[in-house]
């Protein structure tokens, strides 16, 4: 109880409240603009966190992301252009409601269900994370190695419809993480004689390039940057009748919250996949599946709850093990490390007051969604009237300043531009960029724990399976690698059998 009171006292700071409010406004603006994802909003927020206290920095990330994900529903509903990938799952449904004159109901039900899902995920985070941290205190290099390997595998298989493309992106991230000086032997790798590269490639400029600069380059090359947004209709009475809908579809709200939290906790998944799966599940178990696609709020409510629940769930592995649940928490892990708050079980014992304050920020951010989300919906027309050329120029300026401010180095600007071009090329061939980020974050964790474990085991591979938890995690990792191959071979065999019999 003393820790909770101390955490509440940390939140009762005017400067912190102003930071959260500014991050909320920024997240709402970026999320409401088509093409500017929640991940991009988080990436652009990072340079500002260098000048903040640790709690304020993490609070800004949490508030910005929660707002951006919810605000992504606005352009999807009004002009059929989703603001974030998570919103794309039910864009057609909400736009069909808009054409029926139910835009307010669509946005209101999505907003309220997002708040409920976010609060549910925050409660699960508060309960599950400390329990997992108690278990993780007994982890050694063996357990962390297998856990990181599971994280890498899930990122490759879950983050893309094509696992091979996910694996390719993951390998790129792992390769980038090896640039610099080997932490064990001190040998220089891929530095080409440059002393500036001995410390490795900075994570933040690479991430800004992959997400923000790549999107700007894509918009410029396709001519999209010069096209104005379509002007949406005015929305009135956002919360009218929403309470009735939530009560009618309370099972959908609960199911979306549970599924979103569970999927968010899987490394590499996050709210995007949770939204798609929740919408599909709503249709599968609906009593009126024929109404889906015609402007029916059932799937919107379930997927909306899943969105923000997935955001909270993704923080569970990030805080407990330092393994990001998605691209946003990968950025957040980088911010935590730069602020001296190394994620892991020790964080729960050494910085418990700060952790409780972070939990409270999750609750506060989701509660602020109601008034600020309502305001964003009412201001949708001015937000979507910002000329795209000016918007793209401002974003590029933020990118350059943010990349340079990390180390005051022109090299980081070059890294940002290089990864921007890489992100553009990967997007053209359908390779997801999120596994690249996760590979960069988890690469050092895999390498360092493998080297430490192999020394402890005296070079014996079976040493990785001698501890009970390590053995269980090792078997789980092997199953993650082999089961997709087994299923693929079985499908191929079934196709050949049916072709031969036909």
């Amino acid at each position: 109880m003393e820790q909770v009171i101390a955490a509440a006292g940390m939140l009762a700071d005017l400067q912190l409240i102003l930071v959260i409010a500014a991050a909320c406004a920024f997240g709402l603006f970026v999320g409401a603009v088509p093409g500017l994802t929640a991940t991009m909003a988080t990436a652009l927020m990072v340079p500002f966190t260098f000048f903040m206290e640790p709690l304020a920095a993490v609070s800004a990330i949490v508030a910005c992301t929660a707002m951006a994900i919810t605000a992504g529903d606005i352009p999807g509903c009004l002009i059929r252009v989703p603001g974030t990938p998570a919103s794309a799952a039910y864009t057609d449904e909400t736009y069909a409601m808009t054409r029926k004159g139910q835009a307010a109901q669509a946005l209101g039900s999505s907003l309220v269900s997002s708040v409920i899902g976010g609060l549910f995920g925050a409660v699960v985070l508060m309960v599950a994370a400390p329990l997992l941290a108690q278990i993780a205190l007994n982890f050694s290099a063996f357990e962390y190695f297998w856990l990181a390997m599971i994280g890498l595998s899930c990122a490759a298989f879950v983050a893309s419809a094509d696992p091979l493309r996910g694996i390719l992106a993951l390998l790129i991230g792992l390769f980038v993480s090896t640039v610099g000086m080997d932490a064990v032997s001190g040998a220089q790798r891929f530095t080409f004689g440059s002393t500036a590269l001995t410390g490795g490639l900075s994570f933040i400029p690479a991430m800004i390039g992959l997400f923000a600069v790549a999107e700007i380059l894509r918009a410029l090359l396709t001519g999209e940057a010069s096209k104005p947004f379509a002007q949406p209709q005015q929305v009135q009475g956002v919360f009218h009748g929403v309470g009735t809908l939530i009560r009618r579809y309370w099972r959908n709200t609960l199911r979306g919250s549970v599924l979103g939290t569970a999927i968010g906790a899987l490394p590499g998944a996050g709210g995007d996949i949770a939204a798609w799966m929740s919408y599909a599940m709503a249709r599968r178990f609906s009593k009126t599946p024929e109404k889906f696609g015609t402007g029916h709020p059932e799937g919107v409510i379930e997927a909306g709850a899943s969105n923000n629940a997935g955001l909270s769930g993704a923080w569970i592995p990030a805080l407990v093990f330092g393994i990001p649940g998605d691209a946003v928490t990968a950025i957040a892990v980088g911010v935590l490390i730069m602020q001296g708050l190394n994620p892991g079980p020790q964080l729960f014992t050494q910085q418990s007051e700060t952790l409780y304050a972070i939990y409270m920020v999750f609750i506060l951010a989701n509660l602020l969604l109601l008034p600020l989300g309502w305001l964003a919906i009412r201001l949708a027309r001015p937000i979507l009237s910002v000329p795209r050329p000016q918007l793209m120029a401002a974003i590029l300026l933020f990118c350059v300043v943010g990349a340079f401010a990390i180390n005051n180095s022109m090299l980081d600007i070059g890294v940002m531009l290089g990864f921007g071009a890489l992100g553009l090329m990967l997007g053209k061939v359908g390779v997801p960029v999120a596994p690249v980020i996760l590979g960069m974050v988890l690469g050092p964790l895999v390498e360092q724990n493998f080297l430490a474990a192999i020394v402890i085991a005296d070079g014996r591979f079976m040493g990785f399976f001698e501890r009970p938890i390590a053995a269980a995690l090792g078997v789980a990792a092997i199953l993650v690698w082999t089961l997709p191959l087994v299923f693929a071979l079985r499908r191929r065999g079934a196709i050949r059998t049916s072709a031969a019999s036909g």
Side-chain angles (χ1 to χ4, degrees), residues 359-454:
Y359 297 152
M360 292 181 182
V361 169
F362 270 94
I363 296 175
L364 177 62
N366 282 285
L367 291 176
L368 286 174
L369 267 178
L370 283 175
L372 294 179
W374 172 84
L375 182 63
I377 292 170
R378 296 299 303 273
L379 296 176
R381 292 177 67 88
I383 290 176
L384 294 174
S385 65
V386 176
R388 287 199 190 188
Q390 286 85 334
L391 181 64
M392 293 296 178
I395 292 173
L396 184 59
L397 178 62
F398 276 124
C399 293
V400 172
V401 172
F404 180 79
I406 297 169
N407 298 310
N408 292 331
S409 170
M410 292 297 293
L411 174 66
D412 287 336
I413 296 179
V415 170
M416 178 197 72
L417 295 175
F419 274 86
L422 175 64
L424 177 67
M425 289 187 291
L426 292 178
K428 282 184 175 295
V429 296
V431 176
V433 295
V436 178
I437 292 296
L438 292 169
M440 292 177 65
V441 173
L442 293 181
L445 186 66
V446 170
E447 181 183 18
Q448 292 169 16
N449 283 290
F450 174 78
L451 292 175
I454 205 71

Side-chain angles (χ1 to χ4, degrees), residues 11 15 28 105 109 128 154 165 174 189 205 209 222 245 250 263 280 283 322 326 349 387 402 419 440 455 472 483 485:
L11 284 181
Q15 185 176 359
L28 285 171
Q105 187 182 78
S109 57
C154 291
R165 286 186 169 90
L174 289 173
R189 303 178 298 191
T222 59
L245 285 175
W250 66 270
I263 293 176
R283 185 168 189 165
D326 57 6
T349 57
F419 274 86
M440 292 177 65
V455 170
L483 284 179
L485 297 176

Side-chain angles (χ1 to χ4, degrees), residues 101-105 233-240 374 377-378:
Q102 298 174 352
Q105 187 182 78
Q233 65 187 45
Q234 195 72 23
V235 180
Q236 303 289 342
V238 174
F239 297 117
H240 180 70
W374 172 84
I377 292 170
R378 296 299 303 273

Side-chain angles (χ1 to χ4, degrees), residues 6 26 32 75 98 125 201 212 247 270 341 396:
F26 182 72
T98 298
L125 171 65
L201 292 177
R247 286 192 297 270
L341 299 173
L396 184 59

Side-chain angles (χ1 to χ4, degrees), residues 23 34 38 42 60 186 193 217 224 257 308 429 432 476 478 484:
T42 309
L217 292 175
E224 187 179 309
S257 300
N308 273 22
V429 296
I478 293 171

Side-chain angles (χ1 to χ4, degrees), residues 107-125:
L107 289 171
S109 57
S110 173
L111 176 60
V112 173
S113 62
S114 293
V115 172
I116 295 173
L119 291 174
F120 180 89
V123 172
V124 173
L125 171 65

